[in-house]
Amino acid sequence: MKKKIVYFLLFLCLIFMMSGCKKDEKVTEEEDGFIHLYYMNLETGSLLNVKKDMEFSPNLTIAVRQVIEELGKKDTSKKKKYKAVFNKQFSVETVSEPEEGIIVIDFGVGYSQMSNREEILFRAAVVKSLVQLDGIDRILFTVEDEPLTDDEGVAIGIMDDDTFVLDNDKKEVYDSLQTVTLYYSNLEGNGLVEVEKDLHAKDNESMESAVINALRENGVEGSKSPISENLVINRISVFQNTCYLDLSSDIITGINGVDDEIKIYSIVNSLISLERVSQVQFSVDGEILSNINEVSGLDRPLGCDYSLITDIE
């Protein structure tokens, strides 16, 4: 398998040479001993970049290991703003020499023990941190010499800085005004009612939070709120078009007169009406549940269900 990866990289190099591409000069803070590393934000659950002063080895493969080791450390300051993006349950087996800015990092078998969310955050943190090193533009992950694949068995492939767009890369997410389609319960509690509203997310509130908060209120005549006013958003973030939503246990008890399916999909459909959300992963007080009462399949991200929409009589 290692030979296949080497041949693949050589093939890419040949393409670059034939097309006359020339690698751009990269200006990085790594030359000054500073680098922005990415950790888990304890407040939001998304990634937080932290400026670090590091002494790097002149050997690039060793420098890569230094960065990954640093990513496994927690915040030792009094403020405790972040934690490591992984818990060191796996090892870095090999790091290839760069070929036209591409490196291959091979991880041990423990890599597969991470949850889907943990793996995506780890991958994003590593890639966005390492591409700051002079000589690294793109990265390929392998596990035990086999290409890393997603849940469907499709190879992840080569990644670069543009592969991952984080919340703090998109300032327009906050303090913004959007026209959003919200989905309330009908009065019988067995169907969804579409309502368009202008929502203003401000004071560092994300538009996703604004959507949930708007659902606490009544929509239009002939509809009602599908969720409890006591429902607490423990954590909400968007990563690679998946909205990760951690709620209080009030989502389980719900409110009288609203079916569980209506309660769940009022949230899902409303969040997916936002441009950057295509699916929603629920958790309750930090735990991913396989079902909430009569609604199953919650251990995986949910897509929209427009079959529940009804007309107001």
Side-chain angles (χ1 to χ4, degrees):
M1 187 63 209
K2 289 182 178 178
K3 288 184 178 180
K4 291 182 180 179
I5 294 172
V6 171
Y7 292 152
F8 177 63
L9 293 178
L10 290 174
F11 174 69
L12 287 176
C13 294
L14 181 61
I15 291 176
F16 288 134
M17 288 187 289
M18 289 177 64
S19 60
C21 293
K22 183 178 180 180
K23 183 176 178 289
D24 296 332
E25 290 287 331
K26 185 192 292 188
V27 180
T28 67
E29 290 184 307
E30 168 264 334
E31 296 169 357
D32 301 322
F34 289 100
I35 187 171
H36 287 273
L37 300 184
Y38 287 79
Y39 295 89
M40 171 81 79
N41 188 323
L42 288 173
E43 183 178 345
T44 66
S46 55
L47 291 183
L48 173 72
N49 77 72
V50 179
K51 188 175 182 179
K52 293 272 188 171
D53 185 1
M54 296 179 62
E55 292 186 9
F56 295 95
S57 167
N59 183 312
L60 194 55
T61 59
I62 296 177
V64 168
R65 291 179 179 272
Q66 287 179 304
V67 169
I68 295 177
E69 181 179 355
E70 193 68 25
L71 292 175
K73 297 179 180 179
K74 61 183 180 180
D75 187 0
T76 56
S77 69
K78 292 182 180 180
K79 295 183 178 180
K80 296 289 188 296
K81 290 184 175 181
Y82 64 86
K83 68 176 183 178
V85 290
F86 68 109
N87 58 15
K88 299 183 179 179
Q89 72 265 44
F90 55 87
S91 60
V92 177
E93 298 297 323
T94 59
V95 179
S96 73
E97 293 290 339
E99 294 282 350
E100 289 290 332
I102 302 173
I103 64 167
V104 179
I105 305 176
D106 185 58
F107 297 96
V109 65
Y111 188 98
S112 59
Q113 295 175 6
M114 287 188 287
S115 69
N116 184 56
R117 174 171 169 74
E118 289 172 337
E119 191 277 328
I120 293 174
L121 287 173
F122 172 74
R123 189 152 37 91
V126 171
V127 171
K128 293 185 79 70
S129 297
L130 289 180
V131 293
Q132 296 171 68
L133 297 177
D134 193 24
I136 298 178
D137 298 311
R138 293 171 292 278
I139 301 169
L140 178 68
F141 279 19
T142 60
V143 178
E144 291 195 304
D145 296 327
E146 295 290 336
L148 178 66
T149 60
D150 61 17
D151 292 340
E152 304 297 325
V154 178
I156 298 297
I158 295 175
M159 301 165 286
D160 60 19
D161 190 45
D162 294 330
T163 303
F164 306 95
V165 178
L166 308 181
D167 285 353
N168 50 13
D169 292 334
K170 302 184 77 175
K171 295 181 180 178
E172 70 273 14
V173 170
Y174 302 105
D175 195 21
S176 62
L177 179 66
Q178 289 187 38
T179 300
V180 179
T181 303
L182 300 176
Y183 293 82
Y184 291 87
S185 170
N186 61 9
L187 295 180
E188 293 75 22
N190 58 8
L192 294 176
V193 177
E194 283 184 309
V195 178
E196 281 200 354
K197 277 193 176 183
D198 291 330
L199 293 187
H200 188 194
K202 56 183 179 179
D203 298 330
N204 208 34
E205 177 190 39
S206 71
M207 186 56 72
E208 290 75 31
S209 293
V211 165
I212 303 299
N213 289 328
L215 289 175
R216 302 178 199 274
E217 307 165 359
N218 288 325
V220 294
E221 186 177 353
S223 70
K224 63 181 180 180
S225 172
I227 59 177
S228 168
E229 61 180 12
N230 297 321
L231 182 67
V232 176
I233 303 173
N234 295 326
R235 185 172 293 175
I236 187 168
S237 61
V238 178
F239 198 80
Q240 288 194 320
N241 301 116
T242 299
C243 181
Y244 293 90
L245 178 60
D246 185 53
L247 300 170
S248 64
S249 58
D250 298 281
I251 190 65
I252 298 176
T253 54
I255 56 178
N256 292 329
V258 176
D259 294 349
D260 290 320
E261 192 175 34
I262 299 306
K263 171 181 60 181
I264 295 298
Y265 281 97
S266 68
I267 296 174
V268 173
N269 287 9
S270 297
L271 287 172
I272 290 178
S273 73
L274 300 176
E275 183 178 351
R276 70 184 192 134
V277 178
S278 60
Q279 55 185 0
V280 179
Q281 175 65 69
F282 284 93
S283 58
V284 178
D285 291 333
E287 182 182 358
I288 295 179
L289 305 178
S290 59
N291 64 283
I292 292 180
N293 300 327
E294 300 299 320
V295 183
S296 60
L298 273 74
D299 51 345
R300 299 178 66 87
L302 297 178
C304 53
D305 186 346
Y306 297 127
S307 67
L308 301 171
I309 298 173
T310 59
D311 295 325
I312 299 176
E313 295 181 359

PDB file of all heavy atoms in Angstrom, residues 142-170:
ATOM      1  N   THR A 142      -3.578   8.647   6.136  1.00  0.00           N
ATOM      2  CA  THR A 142      -3.790   7.209   5.985  1.00  0.00           C
ATOM      3  C   THR A 142      -3.851   6.585   7.378  1.00  0.00           C
ATOM      4  O   THR A 142      -3.348   7.151   8.347  1.00  0.00           O
ATOM      5  CB  THR A 142      -2.667   6.534   5.168  1.00  0.00           C
ATOM      6  OG1 THR A 142      -1.407   6.738   5.837  1.00  0.00           O
ATOM      7  CG2 THR A 142      -2.586   7.112   3.765  1.00  0.00           C
ATOM      8  N   VAL A 143      -4.483   5.410   7.464  1.00  0.00           N
ATOM      9  CA  VAL A 143      -4.559   4.667   8.722  1.00  0.00           C
ATOM     10  C   VAL A 143      -4.048   3.262   8.449  1.00  0.00           C
ATOM     11  O   VAL A 143      -4.623   2.535   7.636  1.00  0.00           O
ATOM     12  CB  VAL A 143      -6.004   4.623   9.270  1.00  0.00           C
ATOM     13  CG1 VAL A 143      -6.049   3.798  10.555  1.00  0.00           C
ATOM     14  CG2 VAL A 143      -6.526   6.026   9.520  1.00  0.00           C
ATOM     15  N   GLU A 144      -2.952   2.917   9.077  1.00  0.00           N
ATOM     16  CA  GLU A 144      -2.286   1.641   8.829  1.00  0.00           C
ATOM     17  C   GLU A 144      -2.019   1.441   7.337  1.00  0.00           C
ATOM     18  O   GLU A 144      -2.298   0.390   6.772  1.00  0.00           O
ATOM     19  CB  GLU A 144      -3.108   0.484   9.395  1.00  0.00           C
ATOM     20  CG  GLU A 144      -3.153   0.455  10.919  1.00  0.00           C
ATOM     21  CD  GLU A 144      -3.657  -0.862  11.448  1.00  0.00           C
ATOM     22  OE1 GLU A 144      -4.789  -1.258  11.057  1.00  0.00           O
ATOM     23  OE2 GLU A 144      -2.933  -1.513  12.212  1.00  0.00           O
ATOM     24  N   ASP A 145      -1.520   2.501   6.711  1.00  0.00           N
ATOM     25  CA  ASP A 145      -1.129   2.495   5.289  1.00  0.00           C
ATOM     26  C   ASP A 145      -2.297   2.426   4.322  1.00  0.00           C
ATOM     27  O   ASP A 145      -2.099   2.307   3.111  1.00  0.00           O
ATOM     28  CB  ASP A 145      -0.164   1.330   4.979  1.00  0.00           C
ATOM     29  CG  ASP A 145       1.152   1.477   5.721  1.00  0.00           C
ATOM     30  OD1 ASP A 145       1.583   2.627   5.923  1.00  0.00           O
ATOM     31  OD2 ASP A 145       1.737   0.454   6.113  1.00  0.00           O
ATOM     32  N   GLU A 146      -3.527   2.516   4.828  1.00  0.00           N
ATOM     33  CA  GLU A 146      -4.698   2.535   3.963  1.00  0.00           C
ATOM     34  C   GLU A 146      -5.273   3.941   3.949  1.00  0.00           C
ATOM     35  O   GLU A 146      -5.339   4.604   4.989  1.00  0.00           O
ATOM     36  CB  GLU A 146      -5.771   1.560   4.453  1.00  0.00           C
ATOM     37  CG  GLU A 146      -5.366   0.099   4.412  1.00  0.00           C
ATOM     38  CD  GLU A 146      -5.261  -0.417   2.978  1.00  0.00           C
ATOM     39  OE1 GLU A 146      -5.919   0.179   2.099  1.00  0.00           O
ATOM     40  OE2 GLU A 146      -4.549  -1.402   2.755  1.00  0.00           O
ATOM     41  N   PRO A 147      -5.709   4.440   2.774  1.00  0.00           N
ATOM     42  CA  PRO A 147      -6.278   5.796   2.712  1.00  0.00           C
ATOM     43  C   PRO A 147      -7.451   5.964   3.673  1.00  0.00           C
ATOM     44  O   PRO A 147      -8.286   5.065   3.817  1.00  0.00           O
ATOM     45  CB  PRO A 147      -6.745   5.914   1.249  1.00  0.00           C
ATOM     46  CG  PRO A 147      -5.889   4.935   0.505  1.00  0.00           C
ATOM     47  CD  PRO A 147      -5.669   3.793   1.455  1.00  0.00           C
ATOM     48  N   LEU A 148      -7.523   7.101   4.349  1.00  0.00           N
ATOM     49  CA  LEU A 148      -8.633   7.402   5.246  1.00  0.00           C
ATOM     50  C   LEU A 148      -9.911   7.548   4.433  1.00  0.00           C
ATOM     51  O   LEU A 148      -9.931   8.204   3.392  1.00  0.00           O
ATOM     52  CB  LEU A 148      -8.342   8.693   6.012  1.00  0.00           C
ATOM     53  CG  LEU A 148      -9.428   9.177   6.976  1.00  0.00           C
ATOM     54  CD1 LEU A 148      -9.589   8.200   8.130  1.00  0.00           C
ATOM     55  CD2 LEU A 148      -9.091  10.568   7.505  1.00  0.00           C
ATOM     56  N   THR A 149     -11.014   6.951   4.925  1.00  0.00           N
ATOM     57  CA  THR A 149     -12.294   7.022   4.216  1.00  0.00           C
ATOM     58  C   THR A 149     -13.372   7.565   5.144  1.00  0.00           C
ATOM     59  O   THR A 149     -13.221   7.561   6.371  1.00  0.00           O
ATOM     60  CB  THR A 149     -12.730   5.635   3.701  1.00  0.00           C
ATOM     61  OG1 THR A 149     -12.869   4.742   4.822  1.00  0.00           O
ATOM     62  CG2 THR A 149     -11.701   5.075   2.732  1.00  0.00           C
ATOM     63  N   ASP A 150     -14.492   8.015   4.546  1.00  0.00           N
ATOM     64  CA  ASP A 150     -15.617   8.478   5.344  1.00  0.00           C
ATOM     65  C   ASP A 150     -16.528   7.305   5.688  1.00  0.00           C
ATOM     66  O   ASP A 150     -16.192   6.141   5.431  1.00  0.00           O
ATOM     67  CB  ASP A 150     -16.390   9.587   4.616  1.00  0.00           C
ATOM     68  CG  ASP A 150     -16.983   9.134   3.282  1.00  0.00           C
ATOM     69  OD1 ASP A 150     -17.091   7.899   3.059  1.00  0.00           O
ATOM     70  OD2 ASP A 150     -17.335   9.995   2.464  1.00  0.00           O
ATOM     71  N   ASP A 151     -17.703   7.593   6.262  1.00  0.00           N
ATOM     72  CA  ASP A 151     -18.628   6.534   6.678  1.00  0.00           C
ATOM     73  C   ASP A 151     -19.134   5.692   5.517  1.00  0.00           C
ATOM     74  O   ASP A 151     -19.558   4.548   5.699  1.00  0.00           O
ATOM     75  CB  ASP A 151     -19.836   7.137   7.420  1.00  0.00           C
ATOM     76  CG  ASP A 151     -19.455   7.726   8.762  1.00  0.00           C
ATOM     77  OD1 ASP A 151     -18.393   7.342   9.279  1.00  0.00           O
ATOM     78  OD2 ASP A 151     -20.208   8.571   9.284  1.00  0.00           O
ATOM     79  N   GLU A 152     -19.109   6.275   4.315  1.00  0.00           N
ATOM     80  CA  GLU A 152     -19.587   5.553   3.132  1.00  0.00           C
ATOM     81  C   GLU A 152     -18.476   4.790   2.426  1.00  0.00           C
ATOM     82  O   GLU A 152     -18.691   4.185   1.375  1.00  0.00           O
ATOM     83  CB  GLU A 152     -20.230   6.536   2.140  1.00  0.00           C
ATOM     84  CG  GLU A 152     -21.353   7.379   2.723  1.00  0.00           C
ATOM     85  CD  GLU A 152     -22.519   6.537   3.185  1.00  0.00           C
ATOM     86  OE1 GLU A 152     -22.791   5.519   2.531  1.00  0.00           O
ATOM     87  OE2 GLU A 152     -23.142   6.901   4.194  1.00  0.00           O
ATOM     88  N   GLY A 153     -17.255   4.831   2.988  1.00  0.00           N
ATOM     89  CA  GLY A 153     -16.127   4.136   2.379  1.00  0.00           C
ATOM     90  C   GLY A 153     -15.446   4.912   1.279  1.00  0.00           C
ATOM     91  O   GLY A 153     -14.592   4.368   0.563  1.00  0.00           O
ATOM     92  N   VAL A 154     -15.800   6.188   1.114  1.00  0.00           N
ATOM     93  CA  VAL A 154     -15.190   7.029   0.080  1.00  0.00           C
ATOM     94  C   VAL A 154     -13.925   7.675   0.642  1.00  0.00           C
ATOM     95  O   VAL A 154     -13.930   8.211   1.758  1.00  0.00           O
ATOM     96  CB  VAL A 154     -16.174   8.122  -0.394  1.00  0.00           C
ATOM     97  CG1 VAL A 154     -15.516   9.013  -1.440  1.00  0.00           C
ATOM     98  CG2 VAL A 154     -17.438   7.482  -0.938  1.00  0.00           C
ATOM     99  N   ALA A 155     -12.847   7.616  -0.117  1.00  0.00           N
ATOM    100  CA  ALA A 155     -11.571   8.167   0.333  1.00  0.00           C
ATOM    101  C   ALA A 155     -11.686   9.672   0.575  1.00  0.00           C
ATOM    102  O   ALA A 155     -12.253  10.400  -0.236  1.00  0.00           O
ATOM    103  CB  ALA A 155     -10.483   7.880  -0.690  1.00  0.00           C
ATOM    104  N   ILE A 156     -11.154  10.129   1.700  1.00  0.00           N
ATOM    105  CA  ILE A 156     -11.168  11.553   2.028  1.00  0.00           C
ATOM    106  C   ILE A 156     -10.301  12.338   1.048  1.00  0.00           C
ATOM    107  O   ILE A 156     -10.656  13.429   0.616  1.00  0.00           O
ATOM    108  CB  ILE A 156     -10.678  11.782   3.471  1.00  0.00           C
ATOM    109  CG1 ILE A 156     -11.609  11.098   4.477  1.00  0.00           C
ATOM    110  CG2 ILE A 156     -10.551  13.270   3.773  1.00  0.00           C
ATOM    111  CD1 ILE A 156     -13.015  11.644   4.486  1.00  0.00           C
ATOM    112  N   GLY A 157      -9.151  11.776   0.703  1.00  0.00           N
ATOM    113  CA  GLY A 157      -8.277  12.413  -0.275  1.00  0.00           C
ATOM    114  C   GLY A 157      -7.386  13.490   0.336  1.00  0.00           C
ATOM    115  O   GLY A 157      -7.280  13.638   1.554  1.00  0.00           O
ATOM    116  N   ILE A 158      -6.762  14.251  -0.542  1.00  0.00           N
ATOM    117  CA  ILE A 158      -5.819  15.278  -0.115  1.00  0.00           C
ATOM    118  C   ILE A 158      -6.577  16.508   0.379  1.00  0.00           C
ATOM    119  O   ILE A 158      -7.541  16.951  -0.231  1.00  0.00           O
ATOM    120  CB  ILE A 158      -4.873  15.654  -1.269  1.00  0.00           C
ATOM    121  CG1 ILE A 158      -3.996  14.447  -1.621  1.00  0.00           C
ATOM    122  CG2 ILE A 158      -3.989  16.850  -0.911  1.00  0.00           C
ATOM    123  CD1 ILE A 158      -3.104  14.652  -2.811  1.00  0.00           C
ATOM    124  N   MET A 159      -6.119  17.054   1.511  1.00  0.00           N
ATOM    125  CA  MET A 159      -6.785  18.195   2.143  1.00  0.00           C
ATOM    126  C   MET A 159      -5.846  19.392   2.196  1.00  0.00           C
ATOM    127  O   MET A 159      -4.625  19.234   2.275  1.00  0.00           O
ATOM    128  CB  MET A 159      -7.212  17.823   3.570  1.00  0.00           C
ATOM    129  CG  MET A 159      -8.164  16.643   3.640  1.00  0.00           C
ATOM    130  SD  MET A 159      -8.306  15.959   5.327  1.00  0.00           S
ATOM    131  CE  MET A 159      -6.720  15.114   5.488  1.00  0.00           C
ATOM    132  N   ASP A 160      -6.442  20.589   2.149  1.00  0.00           N
ATOM    133  CA  ASP A 160      -5.663  21.808   2.329  1.00  0.00           C
ATOM    134  C   ASP A 160      -6.439  22.763   3.216  1.00  0.00           C
ATOM    135  O   ASP A 160      -7.480  22.396   3.780  1.00  0.00           O
ATOM    136  CB  ASP A 160      -5.296  22.457   0.986  1.00  0.00           C
ATOM    137  CG  ASP A 160      -6.511  22.834   0.160  1.00  0.00           C
ATOM    138  OD1 ASP A 160      -7.622  22.943   0.724  1.00  0.00           O
ATOM    139  OD2 ASP A 160      -6.367  23.027  -1.062  1.00  0.00           O
ATOM    140  N   ASP A 161      -5.954  23.991   3.348  1.00  0.00           N
ATOM    141  CA  ASP A 161      -6.578  24.954   4.252  1.00  0.00           C
ATOM    142  C   ASP A 161      -8.021  25.259   3.872  1.00  0.00           C
ATOM    143  O   ASP A 161      -8.859  25.534   4.727  1.00  0.00           O
ATOM    144  CB  ASP A 161      -5.753  26.252   4.260  1.00  0.00           C
ATOM    145  CG  ASP A 161      -6.206  27.213   5.350  1.00  0.00           C
ATOM    146  OD1 ASP A 161      -6.421  26.765   6.481  1.00  0.00           O
ATOM    147  OD2 ASP A 161      -6.345  28.410   5.060  1.00  0.00           O
ATOM    148  N   ASP A 162      -8.340  25.200   2.571  1.00  0.00           N
ATOM    149  CA  ASP A 162      -9.691  25.516   2.103  1.00  0.00           C
ATOM    150  C   ASP A 162     -10.675  24.366   2.303  1.00  0.00           C
ATOM    151  O   ASP A 162     -11.876  24.534   2.083  1.00  0.00           O
ATOM    152  CB  ASP A 162      -9.657  25.906   0.622  1.00  0.00           C
ATOM    153  CG  ASP A 162      -8.903  27.209   0.382  1.00  0.00           C
ATOM    154  OD1 ASP A 162      -8.913  28.055   1.301  1.00  0.00           O
ATOM    155  OD2 ASP A 162      -8.298  27.369  -0.691  1.00  0.00           O
ATOM    156  N   THR A 163     -10.161  23.187   2.691  1.00  0.00           N
ATOM    157  CA  THR A 163     -11.049  22.043   2.922  1.00  0.00           C
ATOM    158  C   THR A 163     -11.980  22.295   4.087  1.00  0.00           C
ATOM    159  O   THR A 163     -13.116  21.822   4.128  1.00  0.00           O
ATOM    160  CB  THR A 163     -10.226  20.768   3.194  1.00  0.00           C
ATOM    161  OG1 THR A 163      -9.345  20.525   2.083  1.00  0.00           O
ATOM    162  CG2 THR A 163     -11.121  19.554   3.377  1.00  0.00           C
ATOM    163  N   PHE A 164     -11.512  23.080   5.053  1.00  0.00           N
ATOM    164  CA  PHE A 164     -12.268  23.315   6.272  1.00  0.00           C
ATOM    165  C   PHE A 164     -12.523  24.802   6.443  1.00  0.00           C
ATOM    166  O   PHE A 164     -11.588  25.602   6.454  1.00  0.00           O
ATOM    167  CB  PHE A 164     -11.503  22.799   7.493  1.00  0.00           C
ATOM    168  CG  PHE A 164     -11.099  21.365   7.380  1.00  0.00           C
ATOM    169  CD1 PHE A 164      -9.841  21.024   6.920  1.00  0.00           C
ATOM    170  CD2 PHE A 164     -11.974  20.349   7.713  1.00  0.00           C
ATOM    171  CE1 PHE A 164      -9.451  19.695   6.800  1.00  0.00           C
ATOM    172  CE2 PHE A 164     -11.603  19.020   7.606  1.00  0.00           C
ATOM    173  CZ  PHE A 164     -10.344  18.691   7.146  1.00  0.00           C
ATOM    174  N   VAL A 165     -13.803  25.179   6.554  1.00  0.00           N
ATOM    175  CA  VAL A 165     -14.180  26.567   6.828  1.00  0.00           C
ATOM    176  C   VAL A 165     -14.783  26.596   8.225  1.00  0.00           C
ATOM    177  O   VAL A 165     -15.785  25.941   8.507  1.00  0.00           O
ATOM    178  CB  VAL A 165     -15.200  27.100   5.798  1.00  0.00           C
ATOM    179  CG1 VAL A 165     -15.595  28.523   6.146  1.00  0.00           C
ATOM    180  CG2 VAL A 165     -14.605  27.039   4.406  1.00  0.00           C
ATOM    181  N   LEU A 166     -14.158  27.345   9.120  1.00  0.00           N
ATOM    182  CA  LEU A 166     -14.572  27.387  10.514  1.00  0.00           C
ATOM    183  C   LEU A 166     -15.429  28.606  10.792  1.00  0.00           C
ATOM    184  O   LEU A 166     -15.442  29.566  10.034  1.00  0.00           O
ATOM    185  CB  LEU A 166     -13.342  27.408  11.430  1.00  0.00           C
ATOM    186  CG  LEU A 166     -12.302  26.311  11.169  1.00  0.00           C
ATOM    187  CD1 LEU A 166     -11.163  26.441  12.157  1.00  0.00           C
ATOM    188  CD2 LEU A 166     -12.926  24.933  11.260  1.00  0.00           C
ATOM    189  N   ASP A 167     -16.131  28.548  11.933  1.00  0.00           N
ATOM    190  CA  ASP A 167     -16.977  29.677  12.330  1.00  0.00           C
ATOM    191  C   ASP A 167     -16.193  30.977  12.371  1.00  0.00           C
ATOM    192  O   ASP A 167     -16.654  32.015  11.924  1.00  0.00           O
ATOM    193  CB  ASP A 167     -17.571  29.429  13.723  1.00  0.00           C
ATOM    194  CG  ASP A 167     -18.691  28.412  13.681  1.00  0.00           C
ATOM    195  OD1 ASP A 167     -19.082  28.018  12.571  1.00  0.00           O
ATOM    196  OD2 ASP A 167     -19.169  28.010  14.740  1.00  0.00           O
ATOM    197  N   ASN A 168     -14.971  30.936  12.921  1.00  0.00           N
ATOM    198  CA  ASN A 168     -14.210  32.176  13.044  1.00  0.00           C
ATOM    199  C   ASN A 168     -13.561  32.596  11.729  1.00  0.00           C
ATOM    200  O   ASN A 168     -12.858  33.593  11.675  1.00  0.00           O
ATOM    201  CB  ASN A 168     -13.144  32.067  14.153  1.00  0.00           C
ATOM    202  CG  ASN A 168     -12.293  30.823  14.021  1.00  0.00           C
ATOM    203  OD1 ASN A 168     -12.324  30.161  12.998  1.00  0.00           O
ATOM    204  ND2 ASN A 168     -11.554  30.498  15.069  1.00  0.00           N
ATOM    205  N   ASP A 169     -13.785  31.822  10.670  1.00  0.00           N
ATOM    206  CA  ASP A 169     -13.363  32.240   9.337  1.00  0.00           C
ATOM    207  C   ASP A 169     -14.465  33.024   8.641  1.00  0.00           C
ATOM    208  O   ASP A 169     -14.260  33.610   7.595  1.00  0.00           O
ATOM    209  CB  ASP A 169     -13.032  31.025   8.450  1.00  0.00           C
ATOM    210  CG  ASP A 169     -11.789  30.293   8.927  1.00  0.00           C
ATOM    211  OD1 ASP A 169     -10.941  30.940   9.563  1.00  0.00           O
ATOM    212  OD2 ASP A 169     -11.698  29.088   8.676  1.00  0.00           O
ATOM    213  N   LYS A 170     -15.698  33.002   9.226  1.00  0.00           N
ATOM    214  CA  LYS A 170     -16.855  33.624   8.573  1.00  0.00           C
ATOM    215  C   LYS A 170     -17.490  34.635   9.515  1.00  0.00           C
ATOM    216  O   LYS A 170     -18.396  34.317  10.285  1.00  0.00           O
ATOM    217  CB  LYS A 170     -17.875  32.556   8.173  1.00  0.00           C
ATOM    218  CG  LYS A 170     -17.303  31.498   7.233  1.00  0.00           C
ATOM    219  CD  LYS A 170     -18.350  30.523   6.787  1.00  0.00           C
ATOM    220  CE  LYS A 170     -19.230  31.108   5.741  1.00  0.00           C
ATOM    221  NZ  LYS A 170     -20.186  30.169   5.179  1.00  0.00           N
TER     222      LYS A 170
END
